Amino acid sequence: MRTCLLLFILFLGIHWHVAAQRHTISGYVDDTLSHIPLQGALITVIKASDTTLYDFTRARADGSFSVDVDTSGTYILELYFPSYALYRTSVKIEKGKDAALGHIPLVTKAHLLEEFVFRKKQSAIRLNGDTTEFAADSFKVQEGASVEELLKKLPGIQIDQNGNITAQGEVVQKVLVDGEEFFSDDPALVTQTLRAKTVETVQVYDKKSDAALQTGIEDGQREKTINLKLKENMKKGAFGRAQASGGTDGYYDEQLMVNAFKGKRQLSLFGIMGNNGTTGLGWADRNKYGSSNLIYVPNDISSGYFDELFSDGQYSGEGIPTVKTGGAHYANKWNEDKEHLTGNYRYSDQNTVAEGNTNTQYLLPDSVLYTNQHRNSNNNTERHAADARFDINPDTFSTIGVTLNYDLTHNINSSSFYSETRNGDGLINNSTRHTSNDIDSRQFKAALNYNRKFAKKGRSVYFYGVFGQKTIDGTGYLFADNHFFTGQTRDDTTDQYKTSHSNVHSYYARSAFTEPLSKKLYLNVGYSLNVADNEASLLSYNRRVGTEWSDVPDSVYSSSYRYAVAAHNGSLALNLKLEKLSLTLGANVFHTVFNQDDLFAGKSYKRSYQNYAPNAVMRWSLRKQTSLSLEYDGRTEQPTLQQIQPIRQNPDPLNIVVGNPDLKQSFTHQMNIRFSDYKTLKGRSLYVGSQMWLTQDAISQTQTIDNEGRRLYQYINVNGNYNASLYAGADWKLQKRGIRLSASTNIRTAHDNNFVNGLRNESNNNSYSLRLGFSKDWSKGDKQVASLSINPDYAYNDNHSSISMYNSSYWSSGISGSGYMTLPWKLQVNSTIQASLRQRLPQFDKDINVVLWNAWLSKKLLKGDVLECRLTVYDILDKNKGITRTAETNYIVENSYNTLRRRAMLSVIYNFNYSPSTPTVKKAE
Amino acid sequence: MRRLIFLLPLLLFVAHNATAQFVTSGAISYERKVNLPRQYDDEVPEWMKRNMPKVQATSFALAFTEAKSSYMPDKENNQASGQWLAPGQDNSVYQDYRGKTITASKQVYEQRFIIRDSARRLTWRILKEERTIAGYQCRKAVTRICDSVYVVAFYAYDIPVSGGPEQFGGLPGMILELAVPRLYATWVATKVESKALGDGDIKPVSGKGKTVNRTQMMREISGSAAAKGKMGIKALWWNSL
């Protein structure tokens, strides 16, 4: 019987398949409005009786589908397509009948939902072409932390105590906010005043030149740039920070920063007043002139003839500055973003009192010379800088941009020096010198750029023109009293009143054309002309009696020149773009003509140079998060006029430069290799890079140090100079334990040739450094409650001079640590320590070890912890010192200067965030 | 006019979506979380259970195309976690969706089994609940193994490959979350990477072992000391996954 039953069932089964008691459900899936077939739509067939999955299929290209069912009954049919609402229907299958459902229109969710929320899931680190992106929220920082603290957490980024940022082994030159130039000549201003919480992603990339961006052809010019992308919700309403602080011994520090957004309009204001080494004294401030929308001229020749003779009053990091600075930034877009305007204004008034000591050791063929110089200076600089940039895209093919820069600087400074030079036998000279200057400078620049693309992909035309004008006027006094003790004792006194004037007009124009030779190969041809016309005079008047000055300028130390430069540049580049590889080969030819008229001597000099600069750039994306790049740059460089035909000047009678009319141009080969690899999930990153420079006919010096201790030097050409560095860094994150480990190393070598007292001197300066990092975070839930970071470093400097038996190698090591802890009652303690130990050199008897320990205690108040009271003690041990040591060719310099010492400060900080209540969205009908 | 303005973004939206991308090949990272003390019941004293990590997480990687998939431990992401190891730490499974066959490798005490069998047919119930996992909209489905052990799965509509962790599959989309409550174990996709994979990128199960089918293996285990006690029952369930 059982067998019978089994057979019967089997028979039934066969009957199913053979006799095909099948029912087909069929239909078409398309979009309600457009009737576009939805290929790939999922059709799920569920038995209505027990909700079990019966079968499923996907719609064909024409949107059709069919599913076979074996038994009659009710089925639930579900149709799904991404972003469309799930369509659910029941189908009753009657025995022997198919179900043809015809067109089933799906409706998008947008239609159904009033609000659509995009959720973007992002991993912590992404490598996107040349850009490394960090998702800010993936890196925990304490509540209210600044962007600087966030950057410190990112792998491959280091920030020193002065706010200098290094990313992937290279110095960061710009910090942008939402791609906008935002007081970007002073990165510390942005990173220290903007809060980490406002940032969505941090992007690190090499900003290419405007020309490279618009033509797509690499020209090798790049600036390491950090772009902070703000969170969308921060771009509504306003946010900012206000701080008021007062301390012992009259220290104060007041800061205000406001960012207000309305639609696409952004307005930012900041103001800083303080004498506490405050922000707004960023490192870039001292070498970059002008403001944020900086007009850049490659191989700029427009700097004034006497520029290098004037101290421009920028803060050099020495001494104690008192600062008043403020600024405004405005950005807006109109007409569907086709018009874009940004503008910045910045004012600063800075007063710096500095006192310092420089010890220099000169290695000579048969002896060593020591110079000890003591200096006092007082410097006041008042500066206004304004810039604006307007971009317009009249059609999809063209871009026109106009940029204006204006800068007005007034600098007053006075300095006193006392120096002594000794050899083994004792004092050989001493010198007292007083200088004071009052300098006004005005600079205006205007630029126009035009770029047009064509229907043929890759074809483009580019034009860039700049006009610049710069005037410097100054008056000053020099008093110098020198005594020489070797042989016949001799005195030499200078007492002069000086006036200076310089006026430069410059013009720059460049146009370039890019043509695609194939889909992957592009050709770029360009030409530029740079013309500068300069008038400059420096007049020195000797003291007659009392306060009277001679009417006739001193014939030796006065000069008046007119000089003109014209530089032509032709360039050709080939660019190959493959999916994972980009290769550029290019060459530049420069022809430069100098015309110099010595108006006093009635003489004219004319010189012309032909310079060549080949370059090659290769960029290879090995994997998604791994890239390798190779760069080569060759460049000729002509000597400066000061090296060929120096102006007789007498600010420092112990250092005298002699001209060399036979000086040739040098040729420098520069090679660069970089590798970076990020493992996102593993929290591991690695970068390795190397840079090499080899200079042919390098411009070096021949020095003669006479028996009176005066240094006469002349520029000469030498061969065999090279420089190389190798750097590497790695970062590991042990996610579960909140531990981050890092290690980086830098090896540098420099080989220089020069001549000392007629003898050839080959010097090797090598340095090896290793830096380790350990940090651990403690979190409670989503919040970080404590953090500790320790960074020890060690370096060895190895200096050898072939002319000298004296060894001047030394080690240095340091440790920096920081940590904080959250305590009950919303209290928090925070401490940083910075210690640096340097081997004492026998010839310098000073103790140059520095320990700087700061700590603060804070309490958060009010709802949302928006108000913070903070008590800070700086330099608790009172052991801070300003000190630097440099070793080059045949000398070592140790420079010490006054810095801020122990003080206590009480601050009130208010972080505010105002967002207008979200307007009610009108419902769609 | 108002209506037109309203329609415009909608049209854009439609145009965009009619070309929507389904993920037909790529890689999925699963995090498997197992409550360790709960694996032991009475066999292990309470104080020992207190000393073991409560939850043990292990990463598994699934590489898939429309034709096949391979599921294996992501060794680089797994930290060796001492003496207490959850079962099935190094299970690997190769599924052939065209031939509807499965090759799986399991270590059961001292023996490694290579299971070669046809794809398992499970009866799934489709429930109404939806959940977003690793950015994908997923639908809930439940089934039973070993007669009474409930298995909950969430499959992604947008990944039209009927696979998932271990030997699970057969749903209209890829399983991104799997839970076996009685084993105190969950598998959740932490990352779905859409990328082109060739058939050569999907590695079959490697290593030596005793080749069996599912029934043969269960017979060998249930006849041994491994199947004794409450822990033994769990071992059977674990090996049925």
Side-chain angles (χ1 to χ4, degrees), chain A residues 31 33-34 36-42 44 46 50-56 58 78 80-84 86 88 108-111 116 118-119 121 624 679 681-682 684 734 736-737 922-925, chain B residues 2-3 6-7 10-11 13-15 17-22 29 31 57 76-77 79 123-128 130 132 134-135 137 139 155-162 170-173 190-191 193:
Chain A
D31 177 79
L33 292 166
S34 65
I36 295 168
L38 300 175
Q39 184 188 2
L42 171 66
T44 310
I46 299 164
D50 57 359
T51 69
T52 55
L53 174 68
Y54 186 82
D55 199 359
F56 56 89
R58 297 266 168 183
E78 280 189 4
Y80 165 87
F81 194 81
S83 323
Y84 283 72
L86 192 77
R88 196 177 158 97
T108 59
K109 276 180 190 163
H111 206 139
F116 205 76
F118 278 100
R119 246 170 297 166
K121 258 223 142 166
K624 215 170 178 184
K679 296 266 188 286
L681 292 173
K682 287 178 201 133
R684 204 176 77 200
L734 308 174
K736 300 233 165 82
R737 302 202 177 105
K922 267 194 183 169
K923 283 182 192 173
E925 304 122 293
Chain B
R2 245 181 112 182
R3 199 173 174 82
F6 170 64
L7 283 176
L10 205 68
L11 279 170
F13 203 69
V14 168
N17 276 297
T19 57
Q21 296 279 310
F22 291 100
S29 306
E31 189 180 39
E76 285 178 51
N77 275 326
Q79 291 170 335
T123 303
W124 291 97
R125 281 181 65 212
I126 307 292
L127 304 184
K128 283 205 173 160
E130 284 190 346
T132 303
Q137 195 185 354
R139 185 68 176 273
Y155 65 91
Y157 294 118
D158 292 342
I159 310 176
V161 176
S162 300
L171 284 166
T190 52
K191 194 179 119 184
E193 200 181 342

Side-chain angles (χ1 to χ4, degrees), chain B residues 3-237:
Chain B
R3 199 173 174 82
L4 261 176
I5 289 169
F6 170 64
L7 283 176
L8 191 70
L10 205 68
L11 279 170
L12 288 172
F13 203 69
V14 168
H16 167 74
N17 276 297
T19 57
Q21 296 279 310
F22 291 100
V23 180
T24 52
S25 73
I28 302 174
S29 306
Y30 291 98
E31 189 180 39
R32 189 187 77 165
K33 281 187 175 165
V34 174
N35 183 323
L36 261 191
R38 295 283 203 168
Q39 303 301 317
Y40 294 99
D41 287 299
D42 310 334
E43 283 88 349
V44 168
E46 214 46 51
W47 65 266
M48 263 173 126
K49 284 193 206 170
R50 275 199 298 275
N51 282 330
M52 44 175 94
K54 195 167 181 324
V55 175
Q56 193 174 71
T58 321
S59 294
F60 285 89
L62 181 88
F64 67 95
T65 64
E66 285 179 294
K68 46 178 93 167
S69 72
S70 85
Y71 168 83
M72 50 186 65
D74 186 358
K75 295 223 168 80
E76 285 178 51
N77 275 326
N78 289 338
Q79 291 170 335
S81 42
Q83 57 184 123
W84 300 104
L85 289 179
Q89 289 272 31
D90 53 359
N91 282 0
S92 57
V93 181
Y94 173 81
Q95 299 201 41
D96 178 346
Y97 301 113
R98 301 251 156 87
K100 293 193 165 37
T101 59
I102 281 185
T103 314
S105 160
K106 280 182 201 293
Q107 182 80 31
V108 184
Y109 292 93
E110 71 286 356
Q111 180 66 58
R112 175 162 289 278
F113 290 106
I114 305 292
I115 303 150
R116 291 185 194 281
D117 211 326
S118 59
R120 185 162 54 182
R121 281 193 74 96
L122 295 167
T123 303
W124 291 97
R125 281 181 65 212
I126 307 292
L127 304 184
K128 283 205 173 160
E129 193 182 330
E130 284 190 346
R131 187 177 285 183
T132 303
I133 300 155
Y136 288 82
Q137 195 185 354
C138 293
R139 185 68 176 273
K140 188 175 184 176
V142 293
T143 191
R144 272 185 302 199
I145 56 166
C146 305
D147 296 329
S148 64
V149 179
Y150 254 92
V151 176
V152 182
F154 283 87
Y155 65 91
Y157 294 118
D158 292 342
I159 310 176
V161 176
S162 300
E166 297 288 349
Q167 300 176 50
F168 288 95
L171 284 166
M174 182 61 78
I175 298 170
L176 295 186
E177 183 172 335
L178 187 78
V180 185
R182 290 182 74 178
L183 288 175
Y184 301 97
T186 59
W187 288 250
V188 181
T190 52
K191 194 179 119 184
V192 177
E193 200 181 342
S194 167
K195 60 180 177 189
L197 289 180
D199 284 354
D201 294 329
I202 294 173
K203 304 271 180 301
V205 167
S206 59
K208 282 180 187 164
K210 189 171 182 180
T211 306
V212 288
N213 63 28
R214 266 193 293 271
T215 328
Q216 287 166 341
M217 185 191 69
M218 293 316 282
R219 200 183 296 144
E220 282 209 27
I221 298 172
S222 50
S224 73
K228 297 289 180 289
K230 282 185 186 168
M231 237 176 105
I233 295 167
K234 281 214 183 82
L236 285 177
W237 296 344

Side-chain angles (χ1 to χ4, degrees), chain A residues 562 594-599 601-607:
Chain A
R562 184 193 169 101
F594 296 87
N595 263 309
Q596 182 194 26
D597 298 323
D598 184 336
L599 301 178
K603 281 189 212 158
S604 283
Y605 305 90
K606 188 170 178 173
R607 246 163 208 285

Side-chain angles (χ1 to χ4, degrees), chain A residues 488-621:
Chain A
Q488 205 179 348
T489 307
R490 189 166 70 82
D491 296 339
D492 173 10
T493 307
T494 310
D495 193 358
Q496 289 177 338
Y497 166 70
K498 290 169 186 277
T499 64
S500 61
H501 170 77
S502 155
N503 189 14
V504 193
H505 288 90
S506 62
Y507 307 87
Y508 174 81
R510 175 169 181 83
S511 61
F513 179 65
T514 308
E515 176 67 20
L517 300 178
S518 79
K519 274 185 178 168
K520 287 167 182 164
L521 193 64
Y522 298 82
L523 175 75
N524 180 277
V525 186
Y527 170 76
S528 71
L529 174 65
N530 198 348
V531 177
D533 191 11
N534 196 343
E535 282 172 18
S537 66
L538 175 67
L539 305 176
S540 302
Y541 302 90
N542 292 311
R543 189 187 291 272
R544 214 189 271 151
V545 252
T547 53
E548 271 185 60
W549 301 95
S550 158
D551 297 330
V552 190
D554 183 286
S555 59
V556 179
Y557 295 112
S558 298
S559 50
S560 178
Y561 287 99
R562 184 193 169 101
Y563 91 111
V565 189
H568 303 261
N569 164 222
S571 69
L572 191 68
L574 266 176
N575 184 218
L576 177 70
K577 278 183 187 165
L578 302 175
E579 195 189 346
K580 289 190 161 182
L581 185 81
S582 141
L583 184 69
T584 306
L585 293 174
N588 277 276
V589 181
F590 300 90
H591 179 73
T592 314
V593 184
F594 296 87
N595 263 309
Q596 182 194 26
D597 298 323
D598 184 336
L599 301 178
F600 276 6
K603 281 189 212 158
S604 283
Y605 305 90
K606 188 170 178 173
R607 246 163 208 285
S608 70
Y609 292 99
Q610 204 81 34
N611 290 324
Y612 307 95
N615 72 308
V617 181
M618 190 191 87
R619 216 161 284 274
W620 186 20
S621 311

Side-chain angles (χ1 to χ4, degrees), chain A residues 76-305:
Chain A
I76 295 163
L77 217 67
E78 280 189 4
L79 285 85
Y80 165 87
F81 194 81
S83 323
Y84 283 72
L86 192 77
Y87 183 93
R88 196 177 158 97
T89 183
S90 69
V91 181
K92 201 170 177 187
I93 302 291
E94 286 170 30
K95 208 172 176 180
K97 280 186 183 170
D98 287 346
L101 303 174
H103 281 275
I104 301 173
L106 294 196
V107 183
T108 59
K109 276 180 190 163
H111 206 139
L112 296 177
L113 299 173
E114 285 164 15
E115 209 180 16
F116 205 76
V117 184
F118 278 100
R119 246 170 297 166
K120 222 168 65 184
K121 258 223 142 166
Q122 224 181 20
S123 51
I125 308 172
R126 283 200 314 197
L127 211 63
N128 199 347
D130 296 342
T131 307
T132 312
E133 279 192 357
F134 301 92
D137 286 342
S138 313
F139 300 88
K140 281 183 193 165
V141 287
Q142 53 178 311
E143 204 55 36
S146 67
V147 169
E148 186 176 285
E149 285 165 77
L150 170 68
L151 293 180
K152 282 180 183 167
K153 300 261 172 192
L154 306 183
I157 296 186
Q158 284 158 5
I159 301 184
D160 70 13
Q161 69 269 36
N162 300 323
N164 300 347
I165 309 168
T166 312
Q168 289 140 23
E170 290 172 59
V171 171
V172 172
Q173 281 141 328
K174 262 188 180 170
V175 176
L176 306 181
V177 177
D178 266 328
E180 300 272 8
E181 304 262 350
F182 188 79
F183 309 123
S184 58
D185 57 339
D186 195 351
L189 177 73
V190 179
T191 58
Q192 292 175 8
T193 51
L194 210 60
R195 275 185 308 151
K197 223 174 85 180
T198 58
V199 176
E200 169 134 47
T201 36
V202 177
Q203 298 174 318
V204 181
Y205 55 90
D206 290 327
K207 189 177 164 57
K208 295 174 189 170
S209 68
D210 268 2
L213 275 178
Q214 302 195 332
T215 60
I217 304 279
E218 305 259 352
D219 57 4
Q221 271 150 14
R222 42 190 68 245
E223 288 181 306
K224 200 45 106 185
T225 303
I226 287 182
N227 182 28
L228 305 168
K229 277 178 83 178
L230 299 184
K231 285 177 184 156
E232 274 311 312
N233 62 0
M234 284 295 162
K235 291 193 264 180
K236 284 177 194 154
F239 69 89
R241 185 175 187 274
Q243 176 183 335
S245 321
T248 53
D249 304 319
Y251 283 107
Y252 63 96
D253 182 5
E254 327 298 343
Q255 300 185 23
L256 176 73
M257 176 138 198
V258 186
N259 298 280
F261 296 85
K262 190 175 179 187
K264 291 190 167 144
R265 190 212 68 196
Q266 182 191 352
L267 183 65
S268 305
L269 297 168
F270 82 94
I272 292 170
M273 267 165 59
N275 60 355
N276 193 35
T278 328
T279 27
L281 287 174
W283 45 283
D285 207 36
R286 59 180 186 254
N287 42 32
K288 278 207 178 156
Y289 197 74
S291 48
S292 301
N293 286 313
L294 268 187
I295 294 175
Y296 172 72
V297 175
N299 308 302
D300 201 353
I301 51 168
S302 66
S303 60
Y305 195 45

